[in-house]
Amino acid sequence: MSDVRLIDIREEILSDNQELAGKIRRDLGRHGVFMLNLMSSPGAGKTSLILRTLSTLRDRVRIGVIEGDIASSVDAEKVSREGVPAVQLRTGGFCHLDAPMIERALKELDLTDLDCIIIENVGNLVCPAEFDTGSQRRAMILSVPEGDDKPLKYPLMFSVCDALVVNKVDYLGTSDFDLERLRERVCKLNPDIRIFPVSCKTGEGIAEWTGWLAEQVAGARPPA
Amino acid sequence: MHELAVTESILNVVLRHAGQNGVRRVLGIALRIGELSDLEDTWLQRYFDYLSKDTLAAGARLHIERVPVVFRCEPCRHDFPVNVREMDQVRCPQCGGERMTLVSGREYFIKNIEVI
Ligand SMILES: Nc1nc2c(ncn2[C@@H]2O[C@H](COP(=O)(O)OP(=O)(O)O)[C@@H](O)[C@H]2O)c(=O)[nH]1
Ligand SMILES: [Mg+2]
Ligand SMILES: [Zn+2]
């Protein structure tokens, strides 16, 4: 006869992933490199925003890209054509990127030669919200055709991000998407989030977005 | 679906603690998961049964406590629960205020294990 007993654990469920993510953040910090985890549904405009960001900031910020798109290596090719270092991750149908995958990808980038790394996460508003990749900041894109009710359907994603890019505002006139209603919904979940309405097509709002990103990058640099 | 990755992580943590405590079998695992996470209980249990088959934790039941989404009203500091699906109509029931912060609902936690 043995007695049933309780053992207290009190640990985060994803503690292994979180520990590694913390280690990645410290390594990046030592190199003065800033990393952004960019998330959205498929087709919201992650690749388009990265390309816009590269062409706007390239002269001031040395950027590398980690591509997590499952479909193909098309995105990494698009980015490489811009002449910046890009790593394509083979996610094998995985629904999100986690810290071990990012650790592997970082081995292929020369951190001494970079100021900023942008992760294009897998197109999905659910799973990537749960996994810390080791980035210092998280941003998501919501595109106008997806509708302003998305915070109600994907509350976790909206609550973990530091910035929300509302892309495809060139469609605003032809839809019932209400930017103010979106703002209200998002701010209830996450009062500190920064919201950037942009169009990767026309370039509207891109300067505000890249301004914020450049500030974050500068914040990661060690004092000279 | 990331239930598989999450379940794997739960199993790893549980087996680590079971090993440290000289456990023979794990009977139950108590979890606290916030309602903002959309992990499904039945899928978690199914993946767990599959992954834990040849381990000390084979057959263990997951007891999942859901932590409600609670907001705190900024002006009057009142805490109140909110249905995630009705978030666009949220107002403080005490003062009608609309500025609020999230107090709970994002938990992702292993509380304890029941063992012999
Ligand atoms: N009208 C419009 N189309 C856009 C905008 N940004 C991206 N797109 C288009 O949306 C589609 C998906 O964009 P992409 O960047 O590949 O999305 P991803 O899957 O999130 O990487 C492409 O056909 C883009 O040309 C925009 O601001 N306005
Ligand atoms: Mg893409
Ligand atoms: Zn109030």
Side-chain angles (χ1 to χ4, degrees), chain A residues 105-118:
Chain A
L106 286 173
K107 293 207 172 93
E108 295 180 40
L109 292 170
D110 182 0
L111 293 186
T112 57
D113 216 26
L114 290 173
D115 306 309
C116 172
I117 296 168
I118 303 179

Side-chain angles (χ1 to χ4, degrees), chain A residues 2 5 7 9 11-13, chain B residues 9 17 24 108 110 113 115:
Chain A
S2 47
R5 62 198 162 105
I7 299 176
I9 290 193
E11 257 186 51
E12 291 296 324
I13 286 180
Chain B
S9 178
H17 284 267
R24 285 198 295 122
Y108 223 57
I110 306 179
I113 51 178
V115 301

Side-chain angles (χ1 to χ4, degrees), chain A residues 151-219:
Chain A
L152 309 176
K153 295 188 181 134
Y154 306 102
L156 186 65
M157 178 61 82
F158 284 84
S159 74
V160 300
C161 284
D162 304 286
L164 164 64
V165 175
V166 182
N167 188 31
K168 310 194 187 181
V169 295
D170 50 292
Y171 282 134
L172 271 179
T174 59
S175 80
D176 57 1
F177 191 101
D178 184 338
L179 206 51
E180 277 317 304
R181 195 162 54 204
L182 176 76
R183 234 182 255 280
E184 271 171 34
R185 284 172 174 161
V186 173
C187 287
K188 277 179 184 162
L189 278 173
N190 186 346
D192 297 327
I193 199 168
R194 298 288 306 268
I195 301 181
F196 300 98
V198 311
S199 168
C200 291
K201 190 176 173 192
T202 67
E204 183 186 343
I206 296 292
E208 285 76 13
W209 156 252
T210 53
W212 176 81
L213 186 61
E215 266 172 40
Q216 308 306 308
V217 173

Side-chain angles (χ1 to χ4, degrees), chain A residues 40-49 69 75 78 120 141 167-171 198-202:
Chain A
S40 82
S41 318
K46 294 181 295 302
T47 305
S48 308
L49 185 69
D69 200 303
D75 286 349
K78 263 191 219 167
E120 178 172 347
I141 306 176
N167 188 31
K168 310 194 187 181
V169 295
D170 50 292
Y171 282 134
V198 311
S199 168
C200 291
K201 190 176 173 192
T202 67

Side-chain angles (χ1 to χ4, degrees), chain B residues 73 76 92 95:
Chain B
C73 173
C76 83
C92 170
C95 75

